[in-house]
């Protein structure tokens, strides 16, 4: 291991294949907010969408969505992408050149769960920062910036997640978010925000998405998580940045034709589903209230800030993978991670009653497992 590099915490993802197959209607799905399904109103909006050829800038619904999200984030322009992963990759490809280095958190999605796209396709190395809950300090950024030498990669890009993902749904405080941005920019780095759940942060704090994204060279929001769309995300930045990102989108095979059918879902979600994000945060808090009252659970962060809960166990008799399997058998789907952690995520397909039922189910299973001989 290179001197000065942090020791990485491996994220192990629970296999999707289980010993028992259940229909989705038979379980409460807390595996991820990507499990949301389009609502009837969203489906109707999609069916009625006015469409054209996206590649020729002739799809009015897609153009409207991009303008809407760019305004939401306080940016000049936006481009509709099939996925948030493509948003991240297109941003990396636009901001960097092969041989550059990107600085990010050691448990971030862009580093751990995007098939090493930064290195495989952009030729960019990664300097991962070890930090609690995905929120690092200014000095860590400064220390990670390499001196310019002919033998070292060029430090070129800083990325953050708002909210954090596998680190437990933590929310960057606005002053700290701006401080790491300013430190990176003072050293000549571009700054990119993975805002997959940015609107969950806004729902929790009341700080606008535009305030969070202000001064960042690029930022995006996901439509297919808490907002409930079947697909899509919108990457935003300056007009020049979006022009270059659009070309990378095309090169990556992300250009579409009558994408307005999908963009209409995004417009509907922004109009009708953003208030739901507050409810999702409340439901996560409800689950925490039930489980944290037992000494069998240890939460990290100690209390959820948004719609993600991450916890482990104080009993050596309980392993995350077995616990997740037991919960699924009892009608609650959750996600086992590395380090014996569980992640549970609330969303618009989980009601308040289902959140409480899930919490009681998890509590009962943990109590049963802890009593084994």
């Amino acid at each position: 291991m290179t001197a000065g590099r942090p020791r990485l915490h491996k994220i192990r993802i629970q296999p999707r294949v289980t010993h028992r197959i259940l229909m989705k209607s038979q379980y409460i799905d807390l595996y991820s907010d990507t499990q949301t399904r389009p609502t009837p109103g969203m489906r109707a909006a999609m069916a009625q969408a006015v469409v054209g050829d996206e590649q020729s800038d002739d799809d009015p619904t897609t153009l409207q969505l991009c303008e809407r999200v760019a305004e939401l984030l306080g940016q000049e322009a936006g481009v509709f992408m099939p996925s948030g992963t493509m948003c991240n990759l297109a941003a990396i490809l636009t901001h960097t050149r092969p041989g550059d280095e990107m600085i990010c958190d050691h448990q971030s999605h862009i580093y751990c769960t995007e098939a090493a796209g930064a290195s495989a396709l952009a030729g960019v190395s990664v300097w991962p920062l070890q930090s609690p809950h995905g929120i690092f300090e200014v000095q860590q950024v400064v220390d990670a910036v390499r001196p310019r030498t002919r033998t070292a990669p060029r430090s070129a890009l800083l990325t953050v997640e708002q909210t954090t993902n596998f680190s437990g749904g933590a929310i960057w405080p606005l002053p700290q978010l701006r401080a790491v941005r300013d430190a990176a920019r003072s050293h000549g780095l571009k700054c990119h925000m993975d805002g997959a759940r940015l609107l969950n942060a806004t729902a929790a704090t009341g700080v606008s998405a535009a305030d969070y994204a202000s001064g960042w060279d690029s930022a995006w929001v996901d439509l297919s998580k808490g907002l409930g769309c079947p697909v899509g995300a919108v990457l935003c930045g300056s007009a020049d940045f979006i022009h270059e990102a659009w070309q990378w989108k095309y090169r990556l095979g992300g250009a579409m034709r009558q994408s307005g059918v999908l963009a209409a879902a995004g417009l509907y979600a922004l109009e009708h589903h953003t208030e739901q994000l507050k409810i999702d945060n409340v439901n996560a808090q409800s689950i925490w209230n039930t489980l944290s009252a037992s000494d069998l659970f240890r939460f990290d962060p100690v209390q959820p800030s948004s719609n993600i809960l991450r916890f482990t166990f104080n009993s050596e008799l309980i392993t995350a993978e077995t616990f997740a399997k037991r919960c699924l058998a009892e009608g609650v789907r959750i996600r086992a991670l590395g380090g014996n952690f569980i992640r549970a995520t609330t969303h618009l397909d989980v009601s308040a009653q289902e959140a409480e039922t899930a919490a009681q189910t998890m509590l009962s299973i943990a109590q049963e497992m802890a009593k084994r001989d």
Side-chain angles (χ1 to χ4, degrees):
M1 181 177 295
T2 304
R5 294 280 182 137
R7 184 170 183 175
L8 302 185
H9 178 66
K10 182 179 179 181
I11 294 178
R12 183 173 57 190
I13 304 303
Q14 175 188 0
R16 293 180 182 273
V17 178
T18 64
H19 67 290
R20 179 181 175 188
I21 303 300
L22 298 176
M23 297 296 291
K24 192 175 181 69
S25 60
Q26 293 179 279
Y27 57 80
I28 300 168
D29 200 340
L30 300 174
Y31 185 86
S32 174
D33 44 11
T34 60
Q35 305 302 305
T36 55
R37 294 158 294 184
T39 60
M42 181 180 288
R43 291 175 184 268
M46 295 171 71
Q48 298 163 11
V50 180
V51 299
D53 187 343
E54 184 218 28
Q55 289 191 41
S56 303
D57 286 334
D58 289 335
D59 190 296
T61 308
T62 301
L63 293 174
Q64 184 183 354
L65 174 65
C66 292
E67 291 172 2
R68 174 75 179 274
V69 177
E71 181 180 5
L72 181 69
L73 298 187
Q75 302 285 343
E76 286 184 355
V79 54
F80 184 42
M81 298 278 193
S83 71
T85 294
M86 187 176 283
C87 286
N88 279 336
L89 182 56
I92 293 169
L93 287 160
T94 303
H95 287 314
T96 67
R97 65 190 184 207
D100 282 349
E101 189 163 70
M102 173 179 75
I103 300 169
C104 64
D105 178 69
H106 75 295
Q107 287 188 299
S108 61
H109 194 279
I110 203 170
Y111 179 52
C112 295
T113 323
E114 296 186 4
S119 58
L121 299 176
V124 170
S125 64
V126 180
W127 185 292
L129 302 179
Q130 192 94 19
S131 58
H133 316 134
I135 298 176
F136 41 81
E137 301 293 335
V138 168
Q139 193 60 46
Q140 289 180 274
V141 175
V142 173
D143 291 344
V145 176
R146 294 180 184 270
R148 292 293 182 90
T149 71
R150 65 182 65 178
T151 58
R154 180 181 68 125
S155 299
L157 180 64
L158 172 74
T159 73
V160 300
E161 287 181 332
Q162 179 73 313
T163 66
T164 65
N165 186 348
F166 293 111
S167 298
I171 298 173
W172 279 83
L174 185 58
Q176 190 169 353
L177 188 68
R178 290 178 170 175
V180 297
R181 177 204 66 193
D182 292 346
R185 291 177 71 101
S186 70
H187 286 82
L189 277 67
K190 296 291 186 180
C191 297
H192 170 69
M193 179 183 294
D194 177 337
R197 296 178 177 86
L198 175 59
L199 298 184
N200 286 93
T202 291
T205 65
V207 177
S208 72
D211 281 341
Y212 280 131
S214 177
W216 290 77
D217 296 292
S218 53
W220 61 275
V221 293
D222 204 310
L223 304 172
S224 66
K225 293 186 171 66
L227 291 178
C229 297
V231 67
V234 180
L235 174 66
C236 298
S238 69
D240 288 343
F241 168 81
I242 293 300
H243 177 78
E244 296 298 322
W246 226 116
Q247 189 170 52
W248 278 115
K249 169 185 169 176
Y250 189 84
R251 287 170 176 153
L252 295 169
M256 297 171 276
R257 295 297 180 183
Q258 287 71 38
S259 59
V261 173
L262 302 173
L267 288 169
Y268 182 90
L270 291 171
E271 187 67 30
H272 298 281
H273 290 174
T274 53
E275 286 300 307
Q276 171 67 35
L277 299 176
K278 297 179 182 179
I279 299 174
D280 298 339
N281 293 346
V282 170
N283 288 342
Q285 183 72 32
S286 173
I287 294 173
W288 179 84
N289 288 339
T290 297
L291 299 186
S292 64
S294 168
D295 59 6
L296 290 174
F297 299 90
R298 185 170 74 253
F299 284 83
D300 185 31
V302 294
Q303 186 170 356
S305 301
S306 56
N307 68 318
I308 295 176
L309 305 101
R310 189 178 73 157
F311 60 85
T312 186
F313 309 94
N314 290 319
S315 170
E316 295 181 356
L317 296 174
I318 307 176
T319 64
E321 289 189 6
T322 301
F323 180 79
K325 290 177 181 178
R326 289 285 303 276
C327 287
L328 183 60
E330 296 300 322
V332 177
R333 188 182 184 216
I334 51 180
R335 189 168 188 168
L337 306 175
N340 207 40
F341 276 95
I342 292 288
R343 192 188 74 167
T345 309
T346 55
H347 50 80
L348 64 82
D349 280 350
V350 177
S351 68
Q353 181 57 57
E354 287 173 324
E356 181 56 30
T357 298
Q360 292 295 340
T361 299
M362 288 189 281
L363 176 60
S364 296
I365 290 172
Q367 290 172 337
E368 181 182 345
M369 292 179 70
K371 291 179 180 178
R372 291 181 311 182
D373 293 329

